[in-house]
Amino acid sequence: MENKKLRIALIGNPNCGKTTLFNSLTGLNQKVANFPGVTVDKKTGLARIINSKGTVIEAEITDLPGTYSLYPKSMDERVPFQVLCDPKNDSHPDITLVIADASNLKRSLFLCSQIIDLKTPVVLALNMMDLVESKGLIIDIPKLEKKLGVRVIPINARKREGIEELKDALSGDLTAPRADFIDIHAFAPELIDKIKTTIHVNSDYVAFQIANNYELIPFFIEHKKKSDSIKEFIEQQGFNRTHLQAKETLERYKVITDTIINECVSHKDVGEKKQFSSKLDKFLTHKIFGYVFFLMILFLIFQAVFAWSTLPMEWIQKGFQKLSEFTHDALPKGFLNDLVVNGIFAGLSGIVVFIPQIAILFTFIAILEDTGYMARVSFIMDKLLRKFGLNGKSIIPLISGVACAVPAIMATRTIQSWKERTITILVTPLMSCSARIPVYTLLISLVVPNRYVFHSINLQGLVLMALYLIGFLTALVVSFILSFILKSKERGYYIMEMPIYRMPRWSNIGITIVEKVKIFLFEAGKIIIAMSIILWLLSSFGPGDRFKNIEEKYKKTEFTATLSSDEINHKIQSEKIAASYVGSFGRFIEPVIKPLGFDWKIGISLITSFAAREVFVGTMATIYSVGEENDSHQSVKDKMMADINPATLRPTYTVAVGLSLMIFYAFAMQCMSTMAVVYRESKDWKIPVFQFAYMGMLAYAASFVVFHLFR
């Protein structure tokens, strides 16, 4: 058998099933990098294809960002243009695989017709054939192939129907389409001929596309003289991009409608029965009831986060208690025992215990996305967001920010307006991400009673939902203010297609949950273990003879005569941690945070959690575990509840302190990764610095008000 290598570009409109098809073709053989010169993700996968002749083909498939046409209007849409229209691009394909929504063929064929005119081998995958049947449509595949001049394969990517036939088509002897879909040469003959001889392309349409966006082609960036020559010739020819793009669009749709749709698509008589999606949309996208239903969904999610996670969290907590007790007894007493039990296990258990809540949150998010409901949320939020200086597309990053701010900020690339994109980047971290859940749930369990109001509504779940709503409302207020500060003449627009409602794919949801939990656990876990070890060391040792002096102090008769050995040991450990390196640093910063109700232990956690917000829990677990001999079975929550403020002789974590700390974490920029991606996306250090400053001041002011209001 002969081995061949093939480069395939996968392209299609948003919501056409492109990601599902990519996963079906490549499985787990995927990797993510960046396209050269831009921060847009380059997702590639390997597929091993054996055709009917027994030839083994190793295919590298590149998943291009979704687009409706080859005219780039955002950072993401530049990539398909550069990959497909520049023959010298590293990712330029041997075959272009176009996936189209067969139930909306007229719109889908516009992009396909542009790619046909690029004169590279094309395979068209008609997806969602089940919807075609439910709508009463009949597509004549052989006639469609003849009209387009390319292979057409009907598939159902969700059910993996037609995938083998598609692979066989990709591995066959494909040639570039011979006929032009429309006569683009007549639009600007002299200019097209000049570009073809300058950059050596064999397609009139490639030359026409370059005339529209030559400044995006690396060839012209590197060869300034040729770039200036083309620019001068374009001006001499009176090349009007807007007019000619509109003319091209009209001609393509005329051919699509008159020659293809009318001759290749027929209709069954399905009566006047309305589609299920249309019926639901009358309620779910209603100007009033749409918002009510969305709030009900949020209410259900946050109730479930607390109610459904209680039992598995108890199992995890007991498991770590048993592991700590076993390790404590198995290892010889001393440095290593303390490091493993009170350093590593204490820090790690403080984060692993929250996995059930993270999994529940991501389960709901994945279901909402897979059913098509999240697109409706985007639609109903569009008018609201515009009043606050945001684009309708801003809702996608804002909603994504509930999971993680890093990919959410990267999702702002689809926003065309610089002003609206910058505002979205600046306010997205105000959305409470999954890294805040361990902080929120720990603090809520400390200061909010676990009881029900109206017999069925969990009070802790209500507080958690309130924290998320506070973040969203604050993001709107800050956006409104920034819309007056940032100046730009650009006006953004929002075009979105409503996908139909579908039953969620439980296998995909399961994979999503596993992936998200793995990222949360392993990415955060590495930081937490490192921080726990460092904190344990800094908490277990102190400068000079401080530890020795504390031990000598409690050997005096005045203590041994009045206190038990356990009481003396507890006091020694309390004073040791206060005198340690970490305690000394905490005492140094304590005056700054004292007005917020925070002590030096909380101060240390605020500093360490800048690496990642969830490190707060691991830090508290480590600090409260150092030196403990008899209380290793206690959870970090139990230890924090038992902590007494020496100044007031009352519990440290009062309602005022707990709420103040929650509000601080709701607003503060406690994430290095987010700041790094903000710089990477904006290419301007002033943006993340301003973001860190305004969020820090907002967090401090809000915490100050809340603490003094509830104390």
Side-chain angles (χ1 to χ4, degrees), residues 664-702:
F664 185 90
Y665 270 94
F667 293 148
M669 171 60 91
Q670 294 291 103
C671 183
M672 288 190 298
S673 300
T674 301
M675 288 193 68
V677 80
V678 168
Y679 168 70
R680 193 180 77 165
E681 293 295 312
S682 64
K683 300 297 183 186
D684 186 353
W685 272 113
K686 289 183 288 186
I687 301 296
V689 169
F690 171 75
Q691 190 177 45
F692 179 79
Y694 99 77
M695 290 181 69
M697 290 187 288
L698 179 63
Y700 194 94

Side-chain angles (χ1 to χ4, degrees), residues 33-94:
N34 281 341
F35 284 96
V38 293
T39 56
V40 178
D41 283 343
K42 179 181 182 181
K43 195 172 183 182
T44 59
L46 295 177
R48 192 170 181 268
I49 303 172
I50 303 176
N51 66 10
S52 55
K53 298 178 181 179
T55 304
V56 178
I57 298 176
E58 295 291 337
E60 182 184 73
I61 302 175
T62 301
D63 185 12
L64 298 176
T67 182
Y68 289 102
S69 78
L70 290 179
Y71 293 112
K73 296 179 176 63
S74 67
M75 190 184 300
D76 271 5
E77 291 177 352
R78 289 182 183 182
V79 170
F81 168 80
Q82 291 176 325
V83 169
L84 298 176
C85 296
D86 181 8
K88 296 183 180 180
N89 190 287
D90 293 338
S91 300
H92 189 72
D94 301 309

Side-chain angles (χ1 to χ4, degrees), residues 444-465:
I444 288 172
S445 65
L446 281 174
V447 301
V448 179
N450 185 18
R451 59 185 176 85
Y452 289 82
V453 293
F454 302 114
H455 303 291
S456 59
I457 300 174
N458 186 285
L459 184 60
Q460 293 180 334
L462 278 180
V463 174
L464 181 62
M465 180 178 174

Side-chain angles (χ1 to χ4, degrees), residues 334-390:
F335 180 87
L336 182 61
N337 191 312
D338 288 343
L339 172 62
V340 174
V341 175
N342 298 323
I344 297 174
F345 285 174
L348 201 54
S349 65
I351 200 70
V352 174
V353 73
F354 294 102
I355 284 179
Q357 293 178 324
I358 299 293
I360 290 170
L361 177 66
F362 278 120
T363 299
F364 276 100
I365 292 175
I367 290 173
L368 294 179
E369 289 178 343
D370 215 42
T371 55
Y373 177 67
M374 289 299 269
R376 273 74 185 177
V377 174
S378 302
F379 175 77
I380 64 175
M381 297 299 288
D382 182 35
K383 287 185 179 179
L384 174 66
L385 292 179
R386 288 189 177 278
K387 295 176 182 177
F388 293 91
L390 295 170

Side-chain angles (χ1 to χ4, degrees), residues 488-501:
S488 175
K489 293 182 180 179
E490 291 179 287
R491 288 186 63 84
Y493 61 89
Y494 183 46
I495 300 174
M496 185 199 67
E497 180 192 359
M498 293 284 195
I500 65 158
Y501 291 101

